[in-house]
Amino acid sequence: MSGALMLDVAGLSLTAEDRTLLKNPQVGGLILFSRNYQSPQQLSDLVTEIRTCAPDILIAVDQEGGRVQRFREGFTRLPPMAVLGRAFAEDASEAEALAVELGWLMAAELVAYGVDISFAPVLDLNFGVSEVIGDRAFSADAGVVTTLAGAFIEGMRGAGMASTGKHFPGHGWVVADSHHEIPVDERSLADVEAQDLLPFAALMEQGLDAVMPAHVIYQQIDSRPAGFSPFWIEQKLRAELGFDGVVFSDDLTMEGASVAGGFVERAQQALEAGCDMLLVCNNRPAALQVLSYLESVEHSGSERIERMRATALFSPDSLKKSERWKSAVEVAQRLINEPVN
């Protein structure tokens, strides 16, 4: 049984406080950022240090490609997913094959260093208004997103990594960035179901492993952001769509989460809504507050988290000797130079 809290650390190695926290049974995950990465060897040393403290902890990162790639020097630079959407318009079958290779490459490089998951793929639609989503999305077309994200997930799975679709039920319609503001989507449920929800629903049928809800208020449907909403998680996601995978909250320190109250209230409401794991990042005092809350209620954690652990198929050396890695790197390098409309 995994603890419900995923937190972060400040540096390139662990402090004494970090080591103590990671041993706490309520801490089930650790997310890494660019500040935690200097080189492949340093990452290897850090992961070893983490696993020494907490052998079963889930290690995560955002390594989508494009603007959102935390590990760069020593890792293959990945293009934004919109490049694949553009390729799809020219040759759908070729674009699908490219998506498989990029998903495999992203996952294989991380898993080789002991990282379990990248929070990917983005399933939001690019309506052309959200700067925080933008070219992170595969396309504005739900069918194209479904096809390309499905292929990307196939590649991830082939490299031993589980998939996380975000940001349920869709962040692409709103202009506001939920990191800094409280986005409000004024559309009806019928509109969201006819557009944004389609890739999530289709990919759940294909075995999507996890989702991350959006810190967006869909005001015609619920007054709470999706990540704090029993309607969106328990009713729509679990009951109607039949999803039995993991639900990761988005970072509870984001401004979009502030409507739920203080950090303890945010954690409580996210758990009550149906989240399995709570992300509390870039704010150690907030993480400690949530940890204290989880200890006080003796939260039992979720068995679902166990499904997100990676299966290591390569060491870093053996990966870079493989013909598939060399071929996938060529794909990424070619696509990175493609202009995005």
Side-chain angles (χ1 to χ4, degrees), residues 8-248:
D8 59 337
V9 296
L12 299 172
S13 59
L14 301 181
T15 64
E17 181 183 70
D18 293 336
R19 289 191 286 272
T20 298
L21 282 174
L22 294 182
K23 292 176 182 177
N24 190 304
Q26 294 291 351
V27 176
L30 175 66
I31 182 168
L32 300 176
F33 291 93
S34 298
R35 65 173 181 271
N36 304 122
Y37 180 78
Q38 185 177 65
S39 68
Q41 184 59 55
Q42 172 271 328
L43 177 63
S44 179
D45 292 343
L46 176 59
V47 169
T48 298
E49 194 177 9
I50 293 165
R51 298 285 184 206
T52 299
C53 292
D56 297 325
I57 200 166
L58 191 73
I59 301 178
V61 69
D62 286 314
Q63 189 87 340
E64 300 169 14
R67 290 174 288 145
V68 183
Q69 179 168 346
R70 308 305 187 204
F71 305 157
R72 292 180 178 261
E73 188 68 31
F75 277 74
T76 303
R77 186 181 172 200
L78 303 168
M81 294 301 101
V83 168
L84 290 171
R86 180 177 179 275
F88 190 92
E90 298 174 2
D91 186 329
S93 296
E94 173 69 7
E96 198 171 347
L98 295 174
V100 173
E101 291 309 295
L102 287 184
W104 180 89
L105 176 64
M106 179 277 291
E109 291 192 342
L110 292 175
V111 173
Y113 284 95
V115 177
D116 291 294
I117 56 171
S118 169
F119 287 119
V122 169
L123 301 184
D124 303 308
L125 306 185
N126 183 7
F127 290 101
V129 297
S130 173
E131 291 186 5
V132 73
I133 300 301
D135 65 2
R136 295 166 66 191
F138 289 93
S139 174
D141 184 290
V144 174
V145 171
T146 300
T147 297
L148 292 176
F152 194 86
I153 289 169
E154 178 186 334
M156 292 173 67
R157 192 170 289 140
M161 181 181 284
S163 56
T164 304
K166 60 186 186 185
H167 305 81
F168 179 84
H171 199 306
W173 182 264
V174 292
V175 175
D177 178 352
S178 55
H179 292 85
H180 309 294
E181 302 173 75
I182 302 171
V184 176
D185 189 325
E186 71 282 359
R187 292 175 299 163
S188 68
L189 177 59
D191 286 339
V192 176
E193 288 178 328
Q195 298 171 304
D196 308 60
L197 263 182
L198 294 177
F200 288 96
L203 292 169
M204 284 171 197
E205 292 184 357
Q206 297 176 29
L208 182 67
D209 299 293
V211 299
M212 178 177 284
H215 285 324
V216 174
I217 297 172
Y218 302 85
Q219 64 179 6
Q220 289 199 41
I221 304 158
D222 195 334
S223 62
R224 291 159 291 192
F228 303 111
S229 167
F231 169 81
W232 281 115
I233 299 177
E234 290 295 349
Q235 182 175 329
K236 179 59 65 176
L237 187 63
R238 298 291 192 202
E240 295 183 27
L241 295 177
F243 182 66
D244 188 43
V246 176
V247 179
F248 292 100

